[in-house]
Amino acid sequence: LRFMNQTLPARASSTMRIRHLLAAAALLLLQACGGGDDDDDKSSTVAKYQTLSGEAPLVIGHRGASGELPEHTLASYERAIARGADYIEPDLVLTQDGVMIARHEPMLGGTTDVATKFPDRKTTKMVDGVSTEDWFATDFTLAEIKTLRARQSRSSRSTAYDGLYDIPTLAEVINLALTEGAKAGRSVGIYPEIKHSTFHADEVRFGANVFEDKLLSTLHAAYGNVASAPVFIQSFEVSNLQYLNTKTNIKLVQLIDADDVKDDGSMSLVAPYHKPYDFVVNNDGRSFADLLTSSGLDFIKTYADAVGPWKPYLVKTVNDGVERTGDSTLTVNDRRVDGSTGVIEMAHQKGLLVHTWTFRDDASGYGFKDPQAEMQYYMSLGIDGVFTDFTATGVAARAGLR
C-alpha cells in the first residue's frame, strides 16, 4: 500500500524514529508481561501520552459493552459507562417513519427477534451495491420496532440476555449518556455513526442529507452547535461528512475500511469494502487506502477532524507461519508485529486525531494474545482513541500506561 512506503518530511523523521523505538520497547514489555503497571518513577522522564493533544486516549464503548450484553441496547451502553467508557457508540439507521434508532445495520435479522415476530416482512434491497435479503428497519415504524427484542449477534458469545432489551432511539441513548454521566460526575460522550447514507437517501428514498439533517437537529438541541460538544459523528462515506462540515461545528470522523489483511500485512480491498460507497456511485477512483496517503489525509483534513481506520492499517502484522502464543494453533494472534505503518504519525502531523477499531477480548487480536497488551501497544504509538467491545479491558490498558 502507498502509505506504508510514504516518504515523510525531514522535520518529522526523527520524531517518528523515537516513537517507533518507544513502541518497539513497549511491545517487548507487553508481550512479555501481558500488560503494564503504574510506575511513578518513570512517568516524570517519559511523556505520558503520545496522542495529538497529549491527553489520555479515549476508550469508546463499541456498540456499548457489546462483549457482555446484546449490542446497541440501553443496558449495553449503561454497562459500558459503568466500566469507565469515555464515549458510547450508537450506530444509527432510520425507521419507516424517519426515527433514528441504534442498530449496526439497516438489516434487523441478525440482532433482533424480527424473524419470529414478523416472518412475512422479509424483503430484498440493494445495500452498497449488494443485493441483500433481510428485514429492514426502514420497512417498520418505530412502534413496530419497539415490539422487537435484541439478541446476541456473535455466535461465540452468551445468549443469556437475548429477548430482554428493546431497541433504543438516539434520543434515548443521549438521555442515558447525560443522565449516567451526571450520576458519575463526569462527561460521557456519544459517538454516532451514520450507517449507509447513500442507501437511506436513494434506495429507500428519504432523499439527500435528510438523515444528516435529522441527526444534526437532535445533536444541536442536546449539545449545541459547538466543537467542544462531547460528540463525534462518523461515517464510511465522504460526501455526507463534507455536507455536515458546512452545517455543524461538531467533530467529524472519516472511517476507513478494508476487506481483510493479507499474509504480508498489506490490506485486501474487495468490494464493497474497497472504497466509500459514494465514491462508487460518483465513479471516484480512490480507494480507502488512498485516503491514508499524505494527499488523502490532506483531503480528509478539509472536512473532518479525525480519521478512523481499521486497526491493521496502523500496525503492520505478518503471517510468517510461526506459532507464538504457545497453544500449538496458528491464528491471527500469532502474526509477527512489525510496528507502526506511519499513518498515526502522519495524521498527527496534519492535525488529525486517529481513532481505531475494534478491540475484542475474544477475537481479532492481530499479533497479540492478550487484548490488554494489544490496546496498550496501540496507545503507546499515540492512538487518540480505541473502540472496544470490552470497556474494562480498554480502561485497564490505558491505566497501564501511567
Side-chain angles (χ1 to χ4, degrees):
L1 292 181
R2 297 180 190 175
F3 69 85
M4 291 187 178
N5 297 311
Q6 185 66 42
T7 300
L8 297 176
R11 63 182 179 178
S13 60
S14 61
T15 301
M16 280 193 61
R17 284 196 294 270
I18 293 171
R19 286 186 177 179
H20 288 166
L21 289 170
L22 288 172
L27 175 61
L28 292 174
L29 175 63
L30 292 171
Q31 288 184 326
C33 302
D37 297 314
D38 290 355
D39 191 339
D40 293 335
D41 293 335
K42 293 181 180 179
S43 64
S44 61
T45 59
V46 179
K48 182 181 274 190
Y49 304 115
Q50 301 297 321
T51 55
L52 180 63
S53 68
E55 299 176 353
L58 299 175
V59 176
I60 304 153
H62 183 245
R63 312 180 200 173
S66 56
E68 301 181 57
L69 295 168
E71 65 186 45
H72 293 312
T73 60
L74 292 181
S76 181
Y77 296 130
E78 187 173 0
R79 179 69 61 84
I81 294 169
R83 297 281 194 245
D86 302 299
Y87 282 74
I88 53 175
E89 183 214 22
D91 294 327
L92 300 177
V93 301
L94 294 177
T95 64
Q96 187 180 71
D97 41 353
V99 180
M100 291 172 287
I101 62 170
R103 288 291 89 191
H104 180 55
E105 296 287 354
M107 297 78 76
L108 302 172
T111 63
T112 74
D113 57 1
V114 66
T116 59
K117 291 181 175 174
F118 297 95
D120 60 342
R121 300 278 287 277
K122 194 175 189 180
T123 59
T124 300
K125 300 184 191 298
M126 295 295 292
V127 182
D128 291 0
V130 178
S131 180
T132 305
E133 186 180 19
D134 210 294
W135 291 262
F136 289 85
T138 49
D139 291 334
F140 294 85
T141 65
L142 178 62
E144 290 174 320
I145 292 289
K146 281 297 187 179
T147 68
L148 303 179
R149 293 296 177 265
R151 52 183 292 205
Q152 176 57 247
S153 63
R154 296 176 72 89
S155 60
S156 60
R157 293 178 179 170
S158 171
T159 58
Y161 301 98
D162 285 9
L164 298 182
Y165 310 118
D166 72 0
I167 312 307
T169 64
L170 173 60
E172 290 173 318
V173 176
I174 291 172
N175 181 66
L176 177 76
L178 294 174
T179 301
E180 294 302 313
K183 288 180 184 177
R186 64 184 180 89
S187 173
V188 175
I190 66 166
Y191 207 124
E193 180 185 344
I194 299 171
K195 302 297 294 192
H196 304 283
S197 179
T198 298
F199 167 84
H200 283 94
D202 298 339
E203 176 71 11
V204 295
R205 302 182 184 279
F206 274 102
N209 300 126
V210 169
F211 196 163
E212 287 74 17
D213 288 339
K214 285 177 178 289
L215 177 58
L216 289 188
S217 178
T218 299
L219 294 177
H220 288 171
Y223 299 100
N225 181 12
V226 292
S228 60
V231 181
F232 289 91
I233 303 173
Q234 57 179 330
S235 177
F236 283 105
E237 296 191 33
V238 172
S239 56
N240 62 334
L241 290 175
Q242 292 174 316
Y243 172 81
L244 288 169
N245 186 50
T246 69
K247 301 292 184 180
T248 188
N249 293 312
I250 289 174
K251 298 177 287 293
L252 306 176
V253 184
Q254 178 64 64
L255 296 174
I256 305 291
D257 208 353
D259 171 63
D260 203 349
V261 190
K262 297 179 182 178
D263 285 348
D264 66 0
S266 62
M267 307 307 295
S268 171
L269 297 171
V270 177
Y273 307 104
H274 59 318
K275 62 176 61 181
Y277 188 62
D278 55 324
F279 277 18
V280 175
V281 172
N282 296 326
N283 295 314
D284 190 313
R286 290 173 294 177
S287 68
F288 276 120
D290 291 328
L291 295 181
L292 292 182
T293 63
S294 181
S295 61
L297 290 171
D298 285 338
F299 170 70
I300 291 173
K301 181 62 176 173
T302 65
Y303 61 87
D305 304 279
V307 61
W310 185 32
K311 62 187 180 181
Y313 276 109
L314 306 180
V315 171
K316 182 178 180 180
T317 65
V318 175
N319 178 17
D320 58 3
V322 177
E323 199 284 311
R324 292 180 168 85
T325 56
D327 59 7
S328 302
T329 303
L330 197 64
T331 70
V332 295
N333 297 342
D334 295 297
R335 294 173 70 99
R336 187 185 74 233
V337 178
D338 283 358
S340 173
T341 61
V343 170
I344 297 173
E345 296 85 350
M346 184 162 47
H348 281 178
Q349 289 166 15
K350 297 175 185 297
L352 288 165
L353 297 164
V354 186
H355 298 162
T356 195
W357 47 278
T358 301
F359 295 90
R360 298 181 168 102
D361 288 12
D362 54 4
S364 306
Y366 295 92
F368 294 86
K369 183 178 182 179
D370 182 339
Q372 181 174 325
E374 181 190 20
M375 275 189 276
Q376 273 191 304
Y377 180 67
Y378 280 80
M379 290 175 179
S380 75
L381 293 175
I383 199 73
D384 301 288
V386 295
F387 286 83
T388 176
D389 290 4
F390 296 85
T391 305
T393 306
V395 171
R398 181 174 60 192
L401 294 176
R402 292 202 296 264

